[in-house]
Amino acid sequence: GCGSRPEPEPAVALPELPAPREQAIEALPVDPLELSIGFGLVPLVDERAGGSLLARVGVIRRQIASELGVVIPPVRIHDDISLDSHEYMLKVRGSEVARSRVMAGHLLAMDAGEAIGEVPGVPTAEPAFGLPAVWIDEHGRADAEARGYTVVDNESVIVTHLTEQIRQHADELLTRQDVKQLLEKLKETNAAVVEEVVPDVVSLGELQRVLQGLLHEGVPIRDLGVIVEAVGDKARVTRDPSLLAEYARQALGRTITASHLDPEMRLRAISLDPGVEQEVAESIAQTSDGEYLAMEPARAHDLVSALRVQTDDAVARGSRPVLICSARVRRHLRRLVEQSLPQLPVCSYNEIAPGIRVETIGVVNP
């Protein structure tokens, strides 16, 4: 009758859905390293189809970690429908840092300066270092190599680009947790220095900022004991992480200069005219937040332009120069040239270990 209640439905075991709040929380963490690829690049990741991108990315992480002495987090790779089929994009902590594309069915032929003649193809720039290059048909490989071009496949183009970008962003990838782990490891061999300095003299966060400052300029932090010692000695004078990083650089001088020496073990250097260096030193302003360079924009622009001329000239003659200056102005000069001359290392005289021959190949006097 109308009063009778409907039969209860038989219980069906529904798959348990995560509560909306849990779903939201799971979506919160940002991947430290994320590679998005277009649909056409999926075969590079498919190991069954012979794609070795995943394995090669694992090798890069280990290589950079051993080179720089840092923990490089895993790279999350996924396809992204918003990208073109042969486009890829790298994000560091959720922000895009690089995007490029490869050409299906083609190889990249690069001219490292030794190539003779032209090869038919689509001119482009190699994405990691911006070298002039050409997309050539797969059948043109032998001819291009005979002409002195370096020829690589799509996967290698992406891997090289990724390696360079991860190396350049190593400072952003270093977390406090990583620093804590590195210190635990250091304790096994050098407990005294760790116990004396962290956290009594400098905090974990301050040490993290010092290490990030070093990594930002490509300085390896493998020699952590030396860094912690230098920081501990100077922290009584200053607590400014960027200044402490300068003192750490001086302790690591031999490591820093080693990577810039030419085959004859010389350091090819561009220096500033003493008057210009004095001018830079006098433009350093002191604030409660530390120091910064308060140089007239037009004057700063002239200085960077003059440096670019000298650098390009040196590179054209086949040397990779460093800019050399006093410790007082080093970090300010580096900050000044960082945007337009990212590949130019800036070293102070205090970082040059005894016995290294410095050959001045240019003096800047705008």
Side-chain angles (χ1 to χ4, degrees), residues 3 9 36 45 69 74 83 88 95 98 106 152 156 183 186 190 230 284 288 334 357 366:
E9 286 285 310
S36 309
V45 185
L83 294 174
Y88 62 91
S95 302
H106 285 64
V152 293
S156 303
L183 287 174
L186 179 60
N190 194 343
I284 297 171
S288 55
R334 167 64 195 179
R357 297 211 314 281

Side-chain angles (χ1 to χ4, degrees), residues 314-335:
V315 170
R317 293 203 308 266
S319 59
R320 289 181 45 207
V322 301
L323 173 59
I324 196 167
C325 59
S326 68
R328 177 78 190 94
V329 302
R330 194 209 73 82
R331 63 197 171 107
H332 301 291
L333 265 181
R334 167 64 195 179
R335 213 162 285 160

